[in-house]
Amino acid sequence: MRRRIMGRYGYLILLIIIILAVDLYPFFDALRLSFFDKNLMNPGGDRFTGVSNFVRLLTKEPLFRPALWNTIVFTIGSVVFEYLIGLGAALLLTSRYTPMKNLFKALVLLPWAVPIAINSLIWKFMLAPNYGFVNQILDRLGAHDFLQMNWLGNLSLVMPVVIGVNVWRSFPFYAITLMAGLATIPRELYESAQVDGASWSARFWHITMPGIKNVSMVVVVLHLIWTFTNFDVIYLLTGGGPLHATEVLPTFLYQQAFELFDMGYASAIGLFILIFLVVTVGPLYFRANAKT
Amino acid sequence: MKRISLILSVCLLFSLAVIPRGAQSAEPVTLEVWNVWDPAIDRDGRAMNEKFREYEKLNPGIQVKQNVMVYADLKQKAVIAGQGQQGPDLLHMLGEWVPEFSRMGILEDLTSEAKSWSDYNKFPQSAWNVSTVNGRIFGLPSIASTRVLVYRDDLFKKAGISKVPTNWQELREAAKKLTADIGPDGKPKVYGFAFCSASTAIRGPQEFAVHLWSTGADLVKWVGNRWVPGFTPEQAAEVFQFYSDLMFVDKAVPPFSIGWEYQQLDSAFQAGTLAMAQDGAWMKRRAEQSETGQSWKTAYYPYAKTPATYLEVKIEGISKFSKHKKETWEFMKWLYNRDNDVYINQTGNLPSRLDAKESKHWIEDKVWRDTFLESAAFGHPMPPIPTSPILKDSMESLQEVLYKRMSPQDAGKDYFNKVKTYLDTSVNK
Amino acid sequence: MARIRLDYRLLPTVNRVFAYALLALLIIFVAFPFFWVITASLKPNRYIITQKIYLFPPELTFSHYMTIFRYGNFGRFFFNSTVISLATVALSFVVVVPAAYAISILRLRGGMFFSRVILSLQMLPGILLIVPLYLILKNLRLLDTYYGLIISYTTFTLPFCFLLTQAYLLTLPLELFESAFMDGASTRQALMKIAIPLSAPGLMTASVYSFLRAWNDFMFANTFTTSANARTLTVEVSRLLGVWGTEWGALTAGATVTTLPVLVLFILAQRYIVEGLTAGAVKG
């Protein structure tokens, strides 16, 4: 066996090379860049500037706190509602009253499986003032003021609307994984509880919720990370929103890197995102994964 | 199963075989053109495509490939490609990009080629000036046109307006009267006026600049040995007040138009929901596609204190990283010779060539030609420095006013400070 | 006691009606926007930009589809997306399967450590890597090529595929392999003839998931491509939103074309997609 094993490290070579090239090297390069002043508009070398990028970000950047706040609001708002609706859908789809479970499972996945660019097109179309479906329905229902309402252009409503679209897109993931979790709860627990006369809510809180605790944690933690770092949804819907009302750290990073070409500063923003996540969500992530 | 590995190997082989390899050996020379003329929606775009095919026939061995984008994308892609030491062969640009692009080193210096061209004098010197930075020419001016007031004559008659507005006061009064056709929800179906305000707007800052110029100010000016803001905070405030009054006092601007870009503005005009707008010669194409097109008329754009408009010059340049610079220059000279220039610019966008403007096609068109030509007398080009940050800031300040987060006076001060800071930190180094 | 018994008899019917109503709501919530967009792509413009709601197209038109294929060059972008996504799947496979095999079956030393590294890599968000990846691709002249995108996509397909394949392989009984080795099979033969076939469901799931991620990506494709050479459908659709700002007929047609393969993949492979999601969360 030993000779076999030695030779077989070769099986890992390709994977190691690619991971080094595409994950680890860029990662460390991003770390390095955040300490430099590299602006593609000024040809000529990078200048080492120590922590000045970070100082600028944390103290002098007027968009920092709004973007951080928006990112937190967007993340928590999305995850909370995604979980609630996902859980509701999961319960509904595993209920004994639901026919054709597989069909509905597949249908429910639709918003998640479709490219984000398409989702944002769909909702820009549905939310358009005057001829968008949403405004038309509201107008029919008597809320005439809403016919010309520009949802994505309204400073106070745009963030809830964007969260809503994100929830619509993401909740299927929760639904499917929670369904898998629900399936692992032994039926006998429910049956004996019913025999004992337990009400629905008692069954829910004492059997269902604990049973899906692990799966819930994993899916929530994953989504906290994914939503916090999500660029596509907001960029494609509002580009950062009217007057930065939906500006989040990822769109801010992108703007610095690819519209103003300040790569060093952008890398510093990226590093901040990473540190923030490691500090806030990191412990949860490793705890959730340790359990499985 | 063997089937899976079979499928996978087929996929792999297929993709390897099909993925184009790097630069081909240069037998057919392919000229890559990046511009905005979309044959899908534009007659001139189609005409240009025909000319491409004609050139290919006349020059076997040369292929012309077109990559169509909107201006915002075009700019970003050109810069990104330039960073990668890449670029198209023929690059269409807005005049205001030339200073930036030349500074970034992504444009080829064409001074000697241009000056030795027999047709050099057929283009107005003011147009060549736009593509000239520090005495060096970086492109050929393909289009030189101005902005005017485009309005619906039939709606004017219906509202009983006999005199076309010439100043801001008259514009506001007319806009108010033209906002009409109240629907069952109490909202008007037709608005008197609208403008662009998207933060990534191309048109919006140009409209803003026209308004600013007409207060007698300038965007920037060269004083002594540095660039300073060419306007006072009060003049900027006057412009923001104008926008604000139109929207909130006269209620003549659609409330859902905050954040509009040129596509929405022009579409609204074409759809008949807008009576007036600051617009350009390309509206001729939309007029031809619209039922009301016959009653679209043009007039000098109304001013505050002094007539002003935007002298828009579009430049065709050659990327510094093009591998076929000579062939591209030959192609450009051919494409913009008198006959071809006339052929590809018929439904909007005045060609900059003086003799093309005299062509039979344009000379008979009072509406879509004379106003533009005559307005050039008071047309201002964009300043010869990289301007995108100040243009973008103008839209941000405008949005602060439109969202009622700043008063026009504060926005004026704020914008003045932004311009001053930008000039001091980035331009006057 | 008696009252409860009565309620229990009625409850199923009430519950059933309630469940059906909720189901209907759920389906409308999830599917209606797609329905609206697909029907819009078949309506002439005047039924789209209008104050009246037309649930079904009063007239059918295919002109929008013709526009995007003839003038919008959609065939090219469809091709790009397909090739890139398939190549990403193939590359991920070729790289991941032998490695997962080596670690799970051959139990190479340091394998578990390696696994954990990959697990934490899964947490690396794309937005962090996009700047250095862009600079790397720029220096290697791989911007605006298929290769550049395919390699970038491995950042998110590799970790997932590896973990999934490893999880499947770990469920295989070692005795199978041991007896094969004793019979003189080489490690490579064991890989091809035993490991891969037996973990086929997991591999299918990983392929479908990778394909979806590659097909749907916007961020990398948008940043790393400049011309029609390597541009994918998702980038093209969002670009069109800017160009044809209000031409909803053509836009919805483009959206439908981009979504079609996903829908087809769905119908054929929904079991694998569902498994992929579950595995991601439950197996960690």
Side-chain angles (χ1 to χ4, degrees):
Chain A
M1 221 36 176
R2 180 174 274 183
R3 191 162 38 104
R4 270 189 232 274
I5 291 177
M6 282 311 162
R8 290 322 140 209
Y9 272 102
Y11 278 2
L12 289 175
I13 283 290
L14 266 181
L15 183 58
I16 293 182
I17 292 181
I18 296 202
I19 297 238
L20 278 177
V22 162
D23 275 313
L24 289 175
Y25 176 69
F27 173 63
F28 287 109
D29 204 31
L31 285 184
R32 177 189 74 87
L33 270 179
S34 54
F35 295 103
F36 280 75
D37 173 18
K38 184 183 181 69
N39 192 322
L40 291 183
M41 296 263 268
N42 304 326
D46 316 338
R47 262 187 326 126
F48 180 73
T49 57
V51 290
S52 72
N53 281 332
F54 295 97
V55 171
R56 174 176 161 207
L57 177 66
L58 296 172
T59 61
K60 293 193 221 143
E61 177 60 62
L63 281 178
F64 173 66
R65 237 174 277 181
L68 178 60
W69 175 246
N70 284 342
T71 318
I72 295 177
V73 167
F74 179 65
T75 304
I76 303 212
S78 296
V79 172
V80 164
F81 286 100
E82 285 162 10
Y83 187 77
L84 291 176
I85 300 187
L87 182 59
L91 290 172
L92 181 62
L93 291 179
T94 48
S95 133
R96 69 190 108 134
Y97 303 113
T98 307
M100 300 185 289
K101 288 199 172 57
N102 280 331
L103 172 66
F104 285 113
K105 245 195 204 178
L107 269 177
V108 131
L109 264 182
L110 219 45
W112 177 85
V114 162
I116 298 187
I118 304 299
N119 281 335
S120 65
L121 189 152
I122 292 179
W123 283 101
K124 272 193 176 159
F125 182 45
M126 300 264 292
L127 291 169
N130 288 320
Y131 51 80
F133 186 77
V134 172
N135 287 23
Q136 294 268 325
I137 287 289
L138 287 174
D139 184 54
R140 293 279 178 290
L141 293 176
H144 295 305
D145 274 342
F146 282 92
L147 182 61
Q148 290 187 345
M149 171 68 111
N150 185 3
W151 299 97
L152 294 172
N154 181 307
L155 277 184
S156 27
L157 289 179
V158 66
M159 183 53 100
V161 168
V162 163
I163 292 180
V165 175
N166 196 31
V167 168
W168 178 82
R169 170 187 81 92
S170 303
F171 89 89
F173 191 100
Y174 292 71
I176 299 293
T177 47
L178 289 175
M179 277 200 274
L182 285 173
T184 63
I185 304 179
R187 295 232 55 177
E188 304 84 58
L189 283 176
Y190 285 112
E191 281 159 12
S192 55
Q194 206 155 344
V195 164
D196 289 346
S199 67
W200 186 87
S201 70
R203 292 205 301 273
F204 179 73
W205 289 111
H206 295 293
I207 305 180
T208 313
M209 287 306 285
I212 53 173
K213 194 168 84 131
N214 284 348
V215 176
S216 298
M217 270 202 64
V218 171
V219 87
V220 163
V221 168
L222 274 180
H223 268 91
L224 285 175
I225 298 175
W226 290 345
T227 313
F228 195 84
T229 57
N230 186 291
F231 165 79
D232 296 14
V233 172
I234 295 204
Y235 183 75
L236 287 169
L237 267 181
T238 61
L243 280 185
H244 305 291
T246 55
E247 187 82 51
V248 289
L249 289 173
T251 55
F252 179 51
L253 193 164
Y254 190 85
Q255 180 205 50
Q256 291 296 320
F258 298 105
E259 286 170 33
L260 299 175
F261 299 106
D262 196 342
M263 302 274 165
Y265 192 48
S267 303
I269 300 172
L271 192 56
F272 174 81
I273 294 178
L274 181 65
I275 296 179
F276 189 86
L277 276 180
V278 165
V279 164
T280 53
V281 181
L284 291 173
Y285 179 75
F286 287 108
R287 190 151 27 113
N289 270 298
K291 290 224 174 99
T292 51
Chain B
M1 273 160 282
K2 271 216 178 80
R3 221 187 303 154
I4 287 191
S5 41
L6 189 61
I7 295 179
L8 284 176
S9 351
V10 166
C11 283
L12 198 55
L13 284 174
F14 172 70
S15 28
L16 281 178
V18 140
I19 292 176
R21 271 160 238 122
Q24 295 129 324
S25 54
E27 262 123 25
V29 168
T30 305
L31 298 181
E32 192 163 337
V33 176
W34 287 10
N35 64 23
V36 302
W37 315 119
D38 196 340
I41 52 180
D42 198 3
R43 180 255 164 219
D44 282 354
R46 284 196 279 281
M48 195 177 256
N49 262 26
E50 287 171 34
K51 284 297 165 187
F52 290 165
R53 304 287 88 80
E54 188 181 321
Y55 192 74
E56 284 170 353
K57 278 209 192 72
L58 291 174
N59 298 276
I62 296 201
Q63 294 223 312
V64 181
K65 205 173 75 146
Q66 185 190 24
N67 201 354
V68 177
M69 304 175 231
V70 274
Y71 280 110
D73 281 352
L74 181 57
K75 179 165 192 225
Q76 194 186 33
K77 300 301 186 194
V79 174
I80 290 188
Q83 294 309 319
Q85 318 284 318
Q86 286 166 349
D89 294 296
L90 180 57
L91 177 66
H92 173 82
M93 301 179 275
L94 287 184
E96 52 251 42
W97 298 349
V98 176
E100 277 172 72
F101 284 5
S102 70
R103 190 186 252 218
M104 281 193 233
I106 63 181
L107 290 180
E108 180 72 7
D109 185 341
L110 297 170
T111 320
S112 45
E113 285 85 346
K115 291 237 166 95
S116 57
W117 187 21
S118 51
D119 284 0
Y120 177 75
N121 291 313
K122 301 272 177 9
F123 294 81
Q125 189 56 45
S126 55
W128 284 114
N129 285 348
V130 174
S131 66
T132 308
V133 180
N134 289 332
R136 295 157 72 207
I137 298 179
F138 287 99
L140 182 161
S142 51
I143 285 168
S145 186
T146 55
R147 299 293 163 79
V148 302
L149 181 74
V150 181
Y151 65 95
R152 291 275 304 275
D153 196 37
D154 53 338
L155 293 180
F156 265 51
K157 292 195 166 57
K158 201 158 95 161
I161 307 177
S162 50
K163 183 171 171 298
V164 181
T166 55
N167 59 39
W168 284 8
Q169 191 56 37
E170 291 170 10
L171 178 67
R172 288 179 53 190
E173 282 163 12
K176 217 174 9 182
K177 282 207 199 111
L178 288 162
T179 305
D181 202 2
I182 311 284
D185 54 357
K187 301 260 166 49
K189 293 223 178 75
V190 176
Y191 283 90
F193 189 72
F195 47 80
C196 297
S197 53
S199 47
T200 50
I202 308 280
R203 183 87 67 80
Q206 293 165 344
E207 294 174 346
F208 175 82
V210 170
H211 294 135
L212 189 63
W213 289 322
S214 80
T215 63
D218 221 330
L219 267 177
V220 296
K221 58 181 184 226
W222 179 257
V223 168
N225 60 346
R226 51 211 317 272
W227 290 98
V228 296
F231 59 95
T232 64
E234 290 76 29
Q235 285 168 319
E238 194 183 330
V239 176
F240 290 127
Q241 187 72 51
F242 174 58
Y243 281 107
S244 167
D245 288 343
L246 272 170
M247 180 160 262
F248 300 118
V249 172
D250 307 323
K251 297 205 206 303
V253 177
F256 48 84
S257 68
I258 305 180
W260 268 11
E261 233 303 42
Y262 64 84
Q263 295 98 339
Q264 284 126 317
L265 182 70
D266 293 347
S267 294
F269 193 90
Q270 186 180 354
T273 54
L274 200 54
M276 298 188 284
Q278 182 190 130
D279 230 308
W282 55 79
M283 289 306 264
K284 176 173 161 144
R285 157 177 77 83
R286 286 191 184 254
E288 287 169 4
Q289 293 169 356
S290 165
E291 301 167 329
T292 55
Q294 290 296 86
S295 40
W296 294 18
K297 300 249 186 311
T298 59
Y300 301 156
Y301 190 71
Y303 56 88
K305 294 201 173 58
T306 161
T309 187
Y310 173 45
L311 179 66
E312 166 163 54
V313 180
K314 303 206 179 158
I315 308 283
E316 313 297 323
I318 302 184
S319 159
K320 205 169 185 64
F321 310 107
S322 159
K323 296 193 175 62
H324 313 292
K325 294 182 189 153
K326 279 209 171 46
E327 292 88 340
T328 311
W329 177 243
E330 292 302 313
F331 175 55
M332 274 164 68
K333 285 197 293 188
W334 178 85
L335 188 62
Y336 290 101
N337 71 29
R338 184 186 179 285
D339 297 323
N340 290 337
D341 201 1
V342 169
Y343 187 68
I344 61 180
N345 283 313
Q346 285 187 17
T347 59
N349 301 302
L350 281 185
S352 89
R353 280 183 75 114
L354 300 161
D355 51 1
K357 288 207 250 258
E358 303 298 325
S359 75
K360 175 172 169 299
H361 181 83
W362 283 99
I363 211 159
E364 292 166 354
D365 194 334
K366 299 273 164 241
V367 171
W368 296 105
R369 177 180 172 275
D370 289 357
T371 327
F372 294 90
L373 279 186
E374 291 157 23
S375 311
F378 41 86
H380 300 239
M382 286 290 179
I385 55 168
T387 46
S388 22
I390 23 182
L391 297 181
K392 191 170 152 98
D393 283 339
S394 72
M395 292 295 99
E396 297 233 337
S397 298
L398 176 58
Q399 283 196 13
E400 299 273 6
V401 172
L402 293 177
Y403 279 114
K404 296 207 173 145
R405 298 223 304 202
M406 271 194 195
S407 70
Q409 285 65 37
D410 289 337
K413 288 198 202 102
D414 185 52
Y415 184 58
F416 177 84
N417 287 332
K418 285 202 174 113
V419 174
K420 187 163 188 311
T421 315
Y422 167 70
L423 290 173
D424 287 336
T425 58
S426 304
V427 181
N428 287 329
K429 275 221 266 266
Chain C
M1 232 25 194
R3 212 184 300 139
I4 298 174
R5 275 198 222 112
L6 256 177
D7 286 343
Y8 274 142
R9 251 180 295 158
L10 271 180
L11 224 40
T13 333
V14 169
N15 277 351
R16 191 174 287 270
V17 168
F18 193 51
Y20 278 31
L22 283 179
L23 267 178
L25 263 171
L26 182 66
I27 295 306
I28 295 181
F29 179 62
V30 155
F32 182 76
F34 293 101
F35 172 78
W36 185 243
V37 160
I38 297 181
T39 52
S41 68
L42 296 167
K43 291 179 194 163
N45 270 330
R46 62 180 176 283
Y47 295 113
I48 305 179
I49 315 280
T50 169
Q51 304 277 26
K52 298 204 196 150
I53 304 184
Y54 294 96
L55 261 192
F56 290 96
E59 276 172 46
L60 269 184
T61 173
F62 288 100
S63 64
H64 301 304
Y65 286 95
M66 302 228 295
T67 308
I68 60 175
F69 275 104
R70 203 185 304 151
Y71 293 122
N73 199 12
F74 244 65
R76 170 75 204 212
F77 301 116
F78 195 90
F79 180 74
N80 286 351
S81 277
T82 311
V83 170
I84 292 177
S85 305
L86 285 178
T88 306
V89 170
L91 179 64
S92 306
F93 256 90
V94 164
V95 165
V96 154
V97 170
Y101 171 71
I103 292 185
S104 339
I105 304 295
L106 300 180
R107 302 290 161 109
L108 289 182
R109 223 155 357 145
M112 279 306 131
F113 166 73
F114 196 70
S115 273
R116 276 207 207 97
V117 167
I118 303 232
L119 180 70
S120 47
L121 277 183
Q122 204 181 17
M123 202 167 106
L124 263 186
I127 189 74
L128 263 185
L129 299 176
I130 199 174
V131 169
L133 265 182
Y134 171 75
L135 292 171
I136 293 174
L137 290 182
K138 158 169 115 73
N139 291 330
L140 289 177
R141 310 291 195 98
L142 284 179
L143 281 179
D144 207 27
T145 63
Y146 282 21
Y147 295 115
L149 274 183
I150 296 170
I151 295 179
S152 315
Y153 286 165
T154 55
T155 53
F156 45 76
T157 57
L158 284 187
F160 183 80
C161 288
F162 179 82
L163 294 172
L164 193 61
T165 313
Q166 182 189 38
Y168 261 91
L169 286 176
L170 282 175
T171 63
L172 296 180
L174 264 183
E175 300 82 56
L176 262 179
F177 291 94
E178 277 165 14
S179 52
F181 290 141
M182 281 201 289
D183 287 345
S186 71
T187 39
R188 205 177 63 93
Q189 284 174 317
L191 168 66
M192 305 293 281
K193 294 214 164 62
I194 308 183
I196 293 187
L198 284 183
S199 44
L203 298 180
M204 277 300 293
T205 307
S207 318
V208 168
Y209 184 84
S210 303
F211 183 86
L212 271 184
R213 291 294 307 265
W215 183 271
N216 292 353
D217 168 76
F218 172 76
M219 186 166 69
F220 282 170
N222 185 48
T223 316
F224 298 156
T225 66
T226 49
S227 71
N229 272 340
R231 194 187 299 151
T232 58
L233 270 181
T234 48
V235 175
E236 178 64 12
V237 165
S238 69
R239 181 188 82 90
L240 286 179
L241 252 186
V243 178
W244 301 341
T246 45
E247 309 274 333
W248 288 112
L251 286 173
T252 48
T256 312
V257 168
T258 314
T259 322
L260 231 40
V262 171
L263 286 179
V264 165
L265 196 61
F266 237 59
I267 297 174
L268 294 179
Q270 54 109 311
R271 202 180 90 215
Y272 295 114
I273 303 181
V274 169
E275 253 179 56
L277 290 188
T278 346
V282 174
K283 291 195 170 82

